[in-house]
Amino acid sequence: MSKFKNIVFIGLMGWILSAEFVLAQNPVSMHNEFNKPVYQVGILAFRDKVSTLERWQPLTEYLNRLFDDFQFEPVILHLDELEQAVEGKQVDFVLTQPAHYVLMTYRSGLTSPLASMLNLEGAFVTDHFGGVIFTRSNRDDIVTLRDLKGKRIAAASTTSLGAYQMQAYELLQQGVRLPQDARVLETGQPQSLAVKAVMNGEADVGFVRTGVLEDLVAKNQIDMNQLKLLNAQTLPDFPFITSTRLYPEWPFAAMPHVDKDIARQVAAGLLAIPREGSLALSMGIAGFTIPGDYRTIDLLMRELRLEPFDEVEFTLQDFIEFWFYQLAFALALFLLLVFATLFYMVRRQALLKKERNRLTQALERLRLLNQVVEQSPESIVITDRQGRISYMNPMFETMTGYQKQEVLGKNPRVLQSGRTKPSVYQILWQTLSEGKVWRGELSNKRKNGEVYPAQAIISPVKNELGEVTHFLAIQRDLSQRKQREQRIQELLYVDSLTGLANRNKLLETMDSCIQRYQSLEVKGCLLLLNMTHFRFVNQLHGTDVGDELLQTVGQRLQQAFEHQGRVARLTADQFAVFCENKAEFSHVDDWLKMMGQKALTCLASSLQVKGESFNLDFAIGVAPLIEIEDFTSGELIHQTLSHAEIALKQARGEESIRLVVYDNQLSEKVLETHQLQKELAQAIKSEQLRLFVQPQVLQNKQLVGLECLVRWQHPEKGLLPPGKFIPLAEQSDLIVALGDWVLTKAAHLLAEIQFHSPDITLAVNISPRHFRQINFVERVSALLADSGASPKGLIIEITESLFLDDFDEVVQKMQSLKALGVKFSIDDFGTGYSSLSYLQHLPVDEVKIDRAFVLAMDQYGMERSLVSSIYAMAQQMQLDVVVEGVETEQQLGHLSALKHVSMQGFLFAKPQDYLTWQQDWMKQSACK
């Protein structure tokens, strides 16, 4: 039966194609059964016509739906057939590859393109493409395009624009003309055959269209490390590496006889196709865009002399290019003969001049020696045996500031600064008296009194009898080198912003302490300090204020620990203090706490920067540097840093505890946390999580929505609340997997609820890390589509911290989801650190008032609480308001003054398993 269906299908498709050919004989003038004009769309078929028709049928169907007064029919034609149809005006519109379009423009006068195709290259969308030139990575003899002369080149087809002609044009610009200068091997389609030919050694170089190599890498069919790209370029807004310039994709053009108004409407219809929508994807493209510049292809075809530019006269340049090697060989031979003749003549002249050169060599040596001494970058001084200066070169005058007439006949001691140790001079004269050369460093003084370091070499000069007659002193000014060395030291050991020690200096200090106190068990302690919420300072006040704030913190710590320890800045907002155990405490617990408390105290008062007052919180972790047998110095330092980091992490995690001193229990807690993270990862996979919901009601207790919550049914520890595992998930990408799990469950629950009550909403908390995932919008859309739930019922709850980084990207994602119908709510509104001005620019539908503000109503009353202020602001901005944490009738009474709020809390219902809630809700709905 299936074989019979296939035969019928093939027969039908053959009938369709034959009908299209008949229709192509009378374009436009033919009418359908509704007496509408029919426009024939000629489409180039690279492969079989059946698959090509299946691919582009949706395009003509779309145009038929778009226009009521006329119809479109596809005509699938191969290259020669399409050229004949265009020449005979048997089609009205044409969709073909760029080079073919240019050819038919010159032959048949096609109009300018109405639109250019947007192609899908894997996950990327582009309206341009280029060519890639590659070879094997071990081919050191092929580096530039000029190296391709005489090589074997593999390409799918010499008629392919992207797989051959683009590359040939680039080679032509480098003086390599194909196929004259290289052997071209046509492999046929697919283009991966060209890659295979290069890898197998059948060809030296391969040509492919852009995107082919990346696609093969993605399919694990090739290893990119085995290939080397030639003339590789990364161009703006183009996702692939290319070896050529870029050219526009396939054009959609109208025949000259088509009415301009009809062509304009068709162009508008093509450009209106949604980018990467279902219609475009059904055709294997991303859509259409405004026409590209096809003049670049015109230029390429002219330069390569492709049809219709192949009938061109033979030019002088062609003559030169064709006879280049012959001319070059003849010229080289001529030059060789000339050089041989010249060599013979020079050789003869050399013999004649040999005697004369002998006479002038001595004079030349003296002249050269004089120039070397006079132009030497070092100061050179010659003295007699009594130390009187008899000669100095110009550099001596430049270096010391003394003129020749001022020091001739005087002793070089005029340069002494008094800072060189007397023992150095004693060794100097002792060495010279022994007839040896002295090398060392002296501290000299210039004429203006400036002291400078000099590297000196002083040597005795002897006559032919071996007697010392003079002394030669060569000196080099070391001032700039000393300054460079000092600058290098600063770069290596000093933090450029604060002037404090950096991490390298801190480690060096700790190492010195270990060496100094070898017999002491507790050698010192390390404090790590972290400024909490420092990034908000940069966000709200600017980096110049943030930098000055860091400098102020460093100054305070430096003043506090000036005589007790080394202060260093490790990262943007993290400082360190290392204190040596100078008092040699044996029991250091109190000392460690005292050092940490000292750091907190010095930073407790407000910091004044540029007229602003800042009260910042600091988390501090303290760890002792303890001697451990068989541990190297580096291992001790690493362990101390690790312990201090653990303590600092604990201090950051506890808002009420800002100072934590490391002990062994902290390590155990870290290991326990790590184990719990591993168990949580397994729990997500093995469906140990439970979805809970808590109702949201109006003043009359009418159900209007639900908030989704999650619990963990731990196999050993029982049902765990979110506070036990959500913070662990937030520290890694586990929060993404957990959030996906909740969204999946919530989407299916929402679909079931909407079947009975479409107006009830479902709110899901999304962490910033989850929201920032690159595919978050697509993931939410897919989950809603799979579940069948309407996006209008989903509310995504986000926190204010999400907007502190990449604000524009966050807004763009929110707008994309809003376009689907998803709503947004700001959770714990008013407790974050973002500017309220952000709220004006966010596509938010709702704010949730935190439980802390509800509790404040009991203490201060409704008048003094912020609930009414937030409510008024939300009303002004036309935002819905949800008050969470309502637990008492008194709180409900306070909120009765607010007419348009939703509420959730223990007063109405505690969170419960969604299946239990769903069963109870269904029963209540049935009773009503």
Side-chain angles (χ1 to χ4, degrees), residues 521-619:
E521 180 182 6
V522 180
K523 304 179 186 301
C525 71
L526 177 65
L527 286 70
L528 292 183
L529 302 89
N530 181 252
M531 259 195 289
T532 59
H533 311 305
F534 172 69
R535 61 175 178 172
F536 302 133
V537 175
N538 280 340
Q539 288 281 345
L540 300 177
H541 301 278
T543 54
D544 55 336
V545 173
D547 289 348
E548 190 167 335
L549 188 61
L550 290 171
Q551 293 168 354
T552 304
V553 171
Q555 292 167 4
R556 287 235 185 140
L557 290 171
Q558 191 81 320
Q559 292 170 1
F561 292 92
E562 183 177 3
H563 302 294
Q564 290 180 292
R566 171 80 67 184
V567 180
R569 176 171 174 250
L570 303 185
T571 59
D573 57 355
Q574 190 175 93
F575 293 82
V577 180
F578 178 74
C579 300
E580 296 180 356
N581 187 7
K582 296 179 180 179
E584 300 187 1
F585 295 107
S586 55
H587 300 287
V588 297
D589 292 348
D590 292 339
W591 179 57
L592 296 176
K593 292 179 182 178
M594 181 176 66
M595 292 296 98
Q597 192 59 49
K598 183 172 185 176
L600 280 177
T601 301
C602 80
L603 299 171
S605 58
S606 61
L607 303 170
Q608 305 297 323
V609 174
K610 293 187 180 296
E612 297 276 354
S613 181
F614 295 90
N615 291 290
L616 298 176
D617 285 336
F618 288 82

Side-chain angles (χ1 to χ4, degrees), residues 343-638:
F343 178 79
Y344 176 77
M345 295 177 64
V346 168
R347 183 68 176 171
R348 294 291 296 174
Q349 286 292 328
L351 293 174
L352 297 174
K353 293 180 180 179
K354 186 173 182 180
E355 291 301 321
R356 186 174 61 186
N357 288 341
R358 287 178 180 177
L359 298 176
T360 58
Q361 281 178 357
L363 182 60
E364 179 63 21
R365 289 194 188 103
L366 290 175
R367 185 187 64 80
L368 180 61
L369 179 60
N370 181 66
Q371 287 182 336
V372 168
V373 173
E374 290 290 312
Q375 299 175 19
S376 172
E378 280 84 25
S379 164
I380 298 177
V381 174
I382 299 176
T383 69
D384 58 19
R385 291 190 59 181
Q386 287 71 38
R388 293 186 294 264
I389 297 176
S390 58
Y391 170 82
M392 69 193 67
N393 69 345
M395 181 51 68
F396 176 88
E397 298 179 346
T398 303
M399 185 182 299
T400 65
Y402 288 102
Q403 299 299 312
K404 182 182 297 186
Q405 61 273 18
E406 294 180 274
V407 292
L408 276 176
K410 295 184 179 180
N411 195 290
R413 67 171 60 95
V414 297
L415 302 177
Q416 292 182 3
S417 65
R419 297 185 183 181
T420 304
K421 295 179 180 179
S423 58
V424 173
Y425 290 117
Q426 293 175 1
I427 297 173
L428 184 156
W429 286 112
Q430 177 65 32
T431 303
L432 294 178
S433 65
E434 295 173 358
K436 300 178 182 178
V437 177
W438 178 86
R439 294 176 174 84
E441 189 172 312
L442 300 174
S443 181
N444 288 343
K445 182 174 65 176
R446 308 187 206 276
K447 182 180 178 181
N448 61 9
E450 178 186 349
V451 177
Y452 67 97
Q455 184 180 35
I457 300 176
I458 303 178
S459 172
V461 180
K462 301 176 182 178
N463 60 16
E464 61 275 7
L465 300 177
E467 299 170 342
V468 175
T469 59
H470 294 82
F471 293 102
L472 172 66
I474 303 175
Q475 296 189 27
R476 174 178 294 176
D477 190 344
L478 299 178
S479 300
Q480 292 185 352
R481 195 184 82 178
K482 294 286 186 181
Q483 291 172 1
R484 287 195 298 269
E485 291 175 351
Q486 182 179 356
R487 178 57 181 160
I488 291 172
Q489 289 294 312
E490 290 176 354
L491 293 174
L492 286 175
Y493 295 110
V494 178
D495 176 59
S496 59
L497 177 63
T498 62
L500 299 173
N502 61 12
R503 187 182 187 87
N504 292 335
K505 190 63 177 178
L506 177 70
L507 298 180
E508 183 183 88
T509 302
M510 294 175 70
D511 182 68
S512 299
C513 176
I514 293 172
Q515 308 307 324
R516 190 179 302 111
Y517 298 101
Q518 291 187 1
S519 61
L520 195 61
E521 180 182 6
V522 180
K523 304 179 186 301
C525 71
L526 177 65
L527 286 70
L528 292 183
L529 302 89
N530 181 252
M531 259 195 289
T532 59
H533 311 305
F534 172 69
R535 61 175 178 172
F536 302 133
V537 175
N538 280 340
Q539 288 281 345
L540 300 177
H541 301 278
T543 54
D544 55 336
V545 173
D547 289 348
E548 190 167 335
L549 188 61
L550 290 171
Q551 293 168 354
T552 304
V553 171
Q555 292 167 4
R556 287 235 185 140
L557 290 171
Q558 191 81 320
Q559 292 170 1
F561 292 92
E562 183 177 3
H563 302 294
Q564 290 180 292
R566 171 80 67 184
V567 180
R569 176 171 174 250
L570 303 185
T571 59
D573 57 355
Q574 190 175 93
F575 293 82
V577 180
F578 178 74
C579 300
E580 296 180 356
N581 187 7
K582 296 179 180 179
E584 300 187 1
F585 295 107
S586 55
H587 300 287
V588 297
D589 292 348
D590 292 339
W591 179 57
L592 296 176
K593 292 179 182 178
M594 181 176 66
M595 292 296 98
Q597 192 59 49
K598 183 172 185 176
L600 280 177
T601 301
C602 80
L603 299 171
S605 58
S606 61
L607 303 170
Q608 305 297 323
V609 174
K610 293 187 180 296
E612 297 276 354
S613 181
F614 295 90
N615 291 290
L616 298 176
D617 285 336
F618 288 82
I620 300 180
V622 186
L625 175 57
I626 300 176
E627 176 72 25
I628 298 178
E629 188 176 354
D630 297 331
F631 268 44
T632 65
S633 173
E635 291 171 337
L636 290 177
I637 293 172
H638 176 75

